[in-house]
Amino acid sequence: FRRAVMARDREDWKAAMQQFLTCLEYDPYRVEAWYRLAFICSKFNETDEQAIEYYLQVVELAPDYGDVNTNLAYLYLKRDRKREAIQYLQRAVDTNPYNLSLRLALAHAYFDLNLTRELREEVVAILQRDPQNAWATDVWQTRFKQEQLESTNAVPRARKAIRPRAAAHPPR
C-alpha cells in the first residue's frame, strides 16, 4: 500500500495501479486501496469500466465510504448511463443533502429521463436551498408552469406588536 501511495505521489499511474492491485491480493478487504485504485482508473477514459468495478467493490464493503457514491454516479453519467447513476446520486444526496451540485446532477438526470415526479421534488429541494438558481427556476416555470414556489417567498417582515387597547372606561 505504501509503495502504491508513493507511486501515486510521483504520478506514476501505471505503477500505482499495479501496487494497489498487489496490495489487494494480500488484503482484499482494504477499502482504501479499492477506493484509491478506482480513483486512479477514473482519470483515464480507457479504464472507466474498471473504475466502476472497483467503486462497486467499495460500495459492497463500505456503502458510505467517502465520496464513493458521488464518484460512481459521475462515472455512470460520463458513460451516459443515467438510469444506473440515479441510485448512486440519490445515496450521495442522502449522505449530503446540502450539496447543490449533487442535487443539480440528480435533477438533470431526472430531466433527461423524463421522470417528472422525481424532477419536481428535486427542483423544489433546489429552490428551497437556492431560490435564485437559474436552471431550477427555468424548469419550474416552463415544465411545471407555475409562477412562484410558495416556500421560496421572502420571509415576511415582522409586524409591530399590537398594543393592547386601553379600556374605554377606567376600572372601578
Side-chain angles (χ1 to χ4, degrees), residues 77 82 85-86 89 104-115:
L77 289 174
K82 292 177 179 85
I86 285 176
L89 280 169
L104 281 167
L106 183 56
H108 279 282
Y110 288 147
F111 183 85
D112 292 343
L113 294 172
N114 203 23
L115 299 171

Side-chain angles (χ1 to χ4, degrees), residues 1 20 23-24 27 30-38 58 65:
F1 184 82
F20 279 126
C23 170
L24 289 167
D27 185 5
R30 188 153 191 178
V31 175
E32 188 176 2
W34 284 110
Y35 182 81
R36 290 180 183 215
L37 178 60
V58 174
Y65 180 83

Side-chain angles (χ1 to χ4, degrees), residues 7-168:
R8 184 206 60 194
D9 291 344
R10 289 190 315 267
E11 295 185 8
D12 185 357
W13 307 120
K14 189 174 181 179
M17 284 190 253
Q18 186 57 49
Q19 290 298 328
F20 279 126
L21 287 170
T22 302
C23 170
L24 289 167
E25 286 177 16
Y26 291 105
D27 185 5
Y29 298 104
R30 188 153 191 178
V31 175
E32 188 176 2
W34 284 110
Y35 182 81
R36 290 180 183 215
L37 178 60
F39 188 79
I40 291 172
C41 288
S42 68
K43 291 179 174 283
F44 310 102
N45 288 335
E46 54 278 350
T47 56
D48 275 351
E49 288 299 322
Q50 283 180 311
I52 289 172
E53 289 177 32
Y54 297 148
Y55 276 131
L56 289 173
Q57 184 66 35
V58 174
V59 168
E60 185 178 317
L61 296 172
D64 293 323
Y65 180 83
D67 288 331
V68 69
N69 292 301
T70 304
N71 296 350
L72 190 52
Y74 283 131
L75 275 172
Y76 279 129
L77 289 174
K78 181 179 173 183
R79 304 294 262 166
D80 202 32
R81 293 163 57 181
K82 292 177 179 85
R83 287 216 181 266
E84 293 163 308
I86 285 176
Q87 68 178 334
Y88 297 104
L89 280 169
Q90 287 171 335
R91 186 170 207 133
V93 165
D94 290 344
T95 304
N96 186 0
Y98 299 103
N99 187 329
L100 281 178
S101 63
L102 288 174
R103 286 198 174 274
L104 281 167
L106 183 56
H108 279 282
Y110 288 147
F111 183 85
D112 292 343
L113 294 172
N114 203 23
L115 299 171
T116 305
R117 188 181 80 237
E118 293 86 351
L119 174 63
R120 180 184 169 91
E121 290 172 10
E122 275 313 306
V123 168
V124 167
I126 291 166
L127 289 174
Q128 286 173 339
R129 285 169 179 78
D130 180 14
Q132 305 303 317
N133 187 287
W135 182 82
T137 302
D138 182 56
V139 169
W140 185 258
Q141 290 174 351
T142 58
R143 185 85 173 244
F144 301 109
K145 297 181 181 26
Q146 297 182 12
E147 295 270 329
Q148 193 171 19
L149 184 65
E150 285 183 31
S151 62
T152 62
N153 289 342
V155 177
R157 290 186 304 175
R159 295 183 180 184
K160 289 184 180 178
I162 300 174
R163 291 189 327 226
R165 242 184 209 181

